[in-house]
Amino acid sequence: EVHLVEYGGGLVQPGGSLTLSCETSGWETSGSTFSSATMSWSRMVIGKGREWVGAVDGGRGPPRYGHSVRGRATISTDNTNNVLYLQLNNLLTEDTGLYQCAATGAADTEWHGQGIMVIVSS
């Protein structure tokens, strides 16, 4: 089973930036690989529910971004160490939420991290 753990959350001021990382492991027995999986970020926002932030499809094209973060977000991967990143710039108070990474592998098998809280406040 693939395990995903998010890091890098916390309290950030409006206008600031942060980088979240999602460290993954367990690919050897999963039937999938990090480099071929679709790796994604979503967030739970109070009053809005779950919101898709963006994804990268195992090297099959550039990252895709949700409307609310497009132009402010960059998703990248470290395929050597099986780590997914989300950099978010010009943070808004509306970016406050529980950020979660996920992996979709072969046969659309999904794994999810526990999530990490980001609070944007002055």
Side-chain angles (χ1 to χ4, degrees):
E1 180 176 339
V2 176
H3 294 276
L4 300 91
V5 181
E6 300 91 345
Y7 296 95
L11 176 63
V12 189
Q13 289 195 340
S17 299
L18 65 75
T19 298
L20 301 179
S21 61
C22 172
E23 296 187 5
T24 72
S25 61
W27 293 96
E28 299 81 3
T29 58
S30 71
S32 301
T33 63
F34 177 84
S35 60
S36 66
T38 292
M39 302 299 300
S40 62
W41 289 98
S42 64
R43 62 189 184 187
M44 286 292 293
V45 179
I46 294 175
K48 286 187 175 181
R50 182 167 296 280
E51 185 177 48
W52 183 74
V53 174
V56 58
D57 298 304
R60 300 179 296 276
R64 300 174 284 119
Y65 299 100
H67 176 75
S68 61
V69 300
R70 195 169 298 144
R72 300 188 295 122
T74 301
I75 291 175
S76 60
T77 59
D78 176 351
N79 288 345
T80 298
N81 296 301
N82 297 340
V83 181
L84 172 72
Y85 298 97
L86 169 66
Q87 180 179 346
L88 198 53
N89 301 319
N90 192 21
L91 285 161
L92 309 171
T93 55
E94 303 92 281
D95 293 319
T96 294
L98 183 71
Y99 284 71
Q100 187 180 43
C101 61
T104 304
D108 291 334
T109 304
E110 291 189 357
W111 302 276
H112 300 265
Q114 292 296 310
I116 193 163
M117 195 67 199
V118 172
I119 300 172
V120 182
S121 175
S122 55

